Amino acid sequence: MKIHIIDDCCNISRTYIDSFKMVNNIEFVDFDEADIICYIGCAYTKESIDCSTEKINNLIKQKNSNTKIAIFGCMTAYEDFYNYFKNVKEIDYIGRGYGQQMQKELTNYLETKSNNGELCYTEMGFNFETPERINIVVQDGCSRRCAFCKSNYLNLKLKSTPLDIIISEINYFSNEFGITEINISGLNPTEYGLDLYKQPKLVELIRAISKIPTIETILLESLCIDRINNDLLNIVL
């Protein structure tokens, strides 16, 4: 399944989409290569809805004959817009709703279209920060609902990278590139593993990384203070 996303939407929705692209095992491709084009539009003004309507009609004309189009975004909540597109054969799906509902619709749709029926974390949530350091995105999502945090708006469900995959990749980067520093990041790494193992496993992850002889430094980002317990404090100390 190859997906192309067009995000004519607000920054809040775009932040969710960027995070979604980063962590899921979907192949995101250019327009001409896509099996499915997901268009996410805006309804801030009537002009925005008209613009989305025009762009979707143009997509129908430009796409390959076998390519499907799925529509998401605030404009889908308007009956006139929905009724205009609901019987168009080139439209595979219309995910109705805005904000968090749009995000759920997009996720559920792509889960349905994925090969195994369930989206999962990519095995390569890694990137170089310096020649000696890699950043590891160990998890996404958060169960907390802090009023000051964008997670409260995005409502991303917890997804963690399996511990054995993380350790395997660190060993690869350590052996092949001489990596000596690991930066552990995510939306809330203190909840790492909660979805996979039914309890947080950040302490076990730090302990496993510490056993790799070539790793000299482990950095931690975005820890949720009410998830910090004595075990985590002790392993850091």
Side-chain angles (χ1 to χ4, degrees):
M1 178 182 64
K2 298 179 180 179
I3 304 295
H4 179 74
I5 291 184
I6 300 173
D7 52 352
D8 287 341
C9 50
C10 65
N11 287 333
I12 291 177
S13 294
R14 191 170 291 117
T15 301
Y16 169 81
I17 295 162
D18 288 343
S19 176
F20 185 88
K21 283 182 174 181
M22 180 177 68
V23 302
N24 281 296
N25 65 337
I26 295 174
E27 186 177 358
F28 293 97
V29 297
D30 293 333
F31 179 88
D32 292 335
E33 304 174 53
D35 300 316
I36 300 173
I37 298 166
C38 293
Y39 179 86
I40 303 166
C42 179
Y44 186 69
T45 65
K46 182 181 183 302
E47 288 74 18
S48 299
I49 300 176
D50 292 341
C51 182
S52 293
T53 301
E54 182 179 353
K55 287 188 176 182
I56 294 168
N57 282 325
N58 287 333
L59 290 176
I60 292 172
K61 296 175 183 176
Q62 296 168 9
K63 74 177 186 65
N64 297 327
S65 58
N66 295 325
T67 304
K68 297 294 185 180
I69 295 176
I71 303 173
F72 305 89
C74 298
M75 71 282 178
T76 60
Y78 290 86
E79 290 297 326
D80 288 347
F81 180 92
Y82 175 75
N83 291 331
Y84 181 84
F85 283 110
K86 69 177 182 180
N87 295 319
V88 177
K89 65 177 182 179
E90 289 85 358
I91 304 299
D92 186 55
Y93 187 75
I94 300 178
R96 302 196 70 182
Y98 53 89
Q100 292 183 5
Q101 185 60 37
M102 180 280 290
Q103 297 153 15
K104 291 176 183 177
E105 286 286 334
L106 176 63
T107 302
N108 291 338
Y109 174 74
L110 292 180
E111 280 182 340
T112 301
K113 294 297 181 181
S114 63
N115 292 332
N116 58 4
E118 181 179 357
L119 299 178
C120 64
Y121 219 104
T122 174
E123 297 182 8
M124 289 300 293
F126 298 76
N127 63 280
F128 282 89
E129 290 192 334
T130 71
E132 298 80 28
R133 181 195 303 166
I134 56 171
N135 178 66
I136 309 173
V137 182
V138 299
Q139 63 85 232
D140 196 23
C142 183
S143 67
R144 326 312 279 172
R145 289 295 174 261
C146 303
F148 57 82
C149 181
K150 70 179 181 181
S151 164
N152 194 37
Y153 297 95
L154 301 180
N155 196 28
L156 302 174
K157 68 179 180 180
L158 290 172
K159 288 186 179 179
S160 301
T161 306
L163 197 150
D164 58 336
I165 290 177
I166 294 176
I167 298 305
S168 174
E169 295 298 340
I170 290 175
N171 277 314
Y172 167 77
F173 282 104
S174 175
N175 293 331
E176 294 295 321
F177 301 99
I179 291 297
T180 59
E181 297 184 7
I182 304 297
N183 187 43
I184 296 174
S185 67
L187 195 54
N188 181 6
T190 41
E191 294 191 323
Y192 165 72
L194 194 59
D195 55 319
L196 295 177
Y197 311 110
K198 308 307 178 187
Q199 57 182 319
K201 290 290 184 179
L202 182 59
V203 171
E204 286 77 2
L205 175 61
I206 294 171
R207 188 174 287 123
I209 296 174
S210 299
K211 292 179 180 178
I212 300 174
T214 52
I215 301 302
E216 301 172 358
T217 305
I218 301 174
L219 306 170
L220 300 172
E221 282 188 8
S222 305
L223 302 184
C224 186
I225 194 166
D226 71 342
R227 287 288 195 189
I228 297 176
N229 55 29
N230 287 335
D231 289 340
L232 181 55
L233 287 174
N234 288 333
I235 195 72
V236 171
L237 291 173

